[in-house]
Amino acid sequence: MSIIDRLMERTTRKVAQNSSRRQLLSQFSKVLVGAAAVPLLPVARASESTGGYPGVGAQTSAIEGDPGDPTSCDYWRYCAIDGFLCSCCGGSAHSCPPGTEMSPITWIGTCLNPLDGKNYIISYNDCCGTTSCGRCLCNRNEGDKPVYRPHSNNDINWCLGTSSNVYNCSTAVVLGVASL
């Protein structure tokens, strides 16, 4: 046992002579901060915006005479929406009401526009920051997928990446024409 004891003592003394507690704490804190920042990366990338809405591009539906009533659950853009319509809560089909912020994280649906017969990619963004508006509840599940496919599930509270995770209402932003 004395050989093992001496070997361990020498190894421990060498490590102690060649390193300091401050260096150990510094390296440990760098790893800890780096590991804590990893989950934030997708949210940071999603919040980069090219248009007027955080997390999604500019509203470019380019649809002349957009058919339907945005305050009705039967409006064509709402084929996969679940929640209160922002158009009834002080916002519009593609913008949040004052005092709320649009979540950069979204679920996606594809809806048929009855005017031109084309399918459009719709980004459903939750507006967050104040309590639910409680008007125009709409729960349509066309194309809704199970929770293990979260990007296509409308039952999740998508108020992530915002200053508050309190849900207010949902928008339906047209991203473009779907190619089949």
Side-chain angles (χ1 to χ4, degrees), residues 153-176:
N153 184 279
N154 64 8
D155 293 329
I156 298 172
N157 181 355
W158 291 94
C159 287
L160 304 171
T162 61
S163 58
S164 171
N165 65 352
V166 178
Y167 169 79
N168 181 265
C169 61
S170 298
T171 62
V173 180
V174 175
L175 297 179

Side-chain angles (χ1 to χ4, degrees), residues 65-153:
D66 201 6
D69 178 13
T71 60
S72 168
C73 193
D74 293 329
Y75 184 50
W76 72 273
R77 290 186 189 189
Y78 300 150
C79 69
I81 202 163
D82 182 9
F84 300 107
L85 305 178
C86 286
S87 53
C88 294
C89 302
S92 69
H94 62 283
S95 65
C96 291
T100 63
E101 66 178 309
M102 188 176 287
S103 175
I105 302 172
T106 169
W107 76 95
I108 302 293
T110 305
C111 298
L112 176 68
N113 182 349
L115 180 69
D116 60 9
K118 295 180 183 175
N119 286 307
Y120 287 85
I121 301 170
I122 309 293
S123 171
Y124 296 102
N125 294 71
D126 286 346
C127 295
C128 314
T130 61
T131 59
S132 293
C133 83
R135 291 185 298 251
C136 299
L137 178 63
C138 188
N139 185 13
R140 295 178 60 188
N141 296 312
E142 295 170 29
D144 187 30
K145 301 294 182 200
V147 177
Y148 58 81
R149 297 216 24 218
H151 59 280
S152 299
N153 184 279

Side-chain angles (χ1 to χ4, degrees), residues 6-100:
R6 279 187 266 147
L7 180 63
M8 289 304 292
E9 182 182 356
R10 280 190 212 140
T11 305
T12 305
R13 287 185 185 273
K14 278 187 180 179
V15 169
Q17 289 171 352
N18 295 327
S19 64
S20 68
R21 284 183 226 139
R22 287 183 182 171
Q23 180 185 12
L24 176 67
L25 288 174
S26 170
Q27 296 299 322
F28 180 70
S29 64
K30 286 179 186 175
V31 168
L32 193 63
V33 169
V38 169
L40 300 176
L41 292 176
V43 174
R45 273 185 260 132
S47 68
E48 294 175 5
S49 177
T50 57
Y53 307 106
V56 297
Q59 178 64 25
T60 57
S61 66
I63 303 167
E64 189 81 25
D66 201 6
D69 178 13
T71 60
S72 168
C73 193
D74 293 329
Y75 184 50
W76 72 273
R77 290 186 189 189
Y78 300 150
C79 69
I81 202 163
D82 182 9
F84 300 107
L85 305 178
C86 286
S87 53
C88 294
C89 302
S92 69
H94 62 283
S95 65
C96 291
T100 63

